[in-house]
Amino acid sequence: MLEMDTSGHNERRLSWRHQVDIPVDLLLSNGIMLKVNACNLSLKGILFSCDNWISNKIEPRGIQNHPLDHIQFSISAELDKNKKLYANGRIVIARRVSQDNYLIGLEFIDFQKDSYTNLQAYINSLKE
């Protein structure tokens, strides 16, 4: 049985989230490039908030009303001076938080170049 040291955390995650404010380029499979800001980051994915305009670009039928796991994306972001993140993934959650504000959760599927190593180093620097 796998035991996790939760250190007082009630969250049941295998990968802890870290609060960030990082500009991210989100490239949808249809070729549309969107600029968003990640508000939290883990080794498994990112979360960003967006307005209605961006949510309609991601899913014109209504982002909170349809399954989203079919929506593939690529992201690029600068984590630290010369450390970049390049990843492919899928949308796993979309939550409407107000009339014109959504939270979108992206799960990483794979990484390009040294991106996973860069992500690990960046997250480790957040813990210090």
Side-chain angles (χ1 to χ4, degrees), residues 26-121:
L26 179 68
L27 178 63
L28 300 176
S29 60
N30 60 9
I32 294 175
M33 173 73 76
L34 302 170
K35 295 199 177 282
V36 298
N37 266 33
C39 55
N40 101 23
L41 177 69
S42 77
L43 291 174
K44 301 288 184 188
I46 65 171
L47 183 74
F48 67 88
S49 67
C50 68
D51 61 16
N52 201 35
W53 185 85
I54 288 178
S55 75
N56 284 333
K57 292 292 183 188
I58 294 170
E59 175 52 81
R61 299 176 298 166
I63 200 157
Q64 75 280 4
N65 298 323
H66 298 281
L68 301 171
D69 59 353
H70 69 283
I71 299 176
Q72 300 288 309
F73 67 90
S74 296
I75 68 157
S76 64
E78 187 170 333
L79 298 173
D80 216 350
K81 296 171 184 132
N82 296 321
K83 305 285 185 187
K84 298 232 180 212
L85 172 63
Y86 299 102
N88 296 314
R90 66 188 178 108
I91 296 177
V92 292
I93 189 167
R95 193 174 3 186
R96 187 179 198 166
V97 290
S98 71
Q99 185 67 26
D100 191 40
N101 192 17
Y102 299 85
L103 287 175
I104 311 292
L106 310 174
E107 177 183 54
F108 300 134
I109 295 172
D110 59 36
F111 298 87
Q112 287 84 46
K113 304 179 185 178
D114 293 329
S115 288
Y116 189 73
T117 302
N118 293 345
L119 179 60
Q120 286 177 311

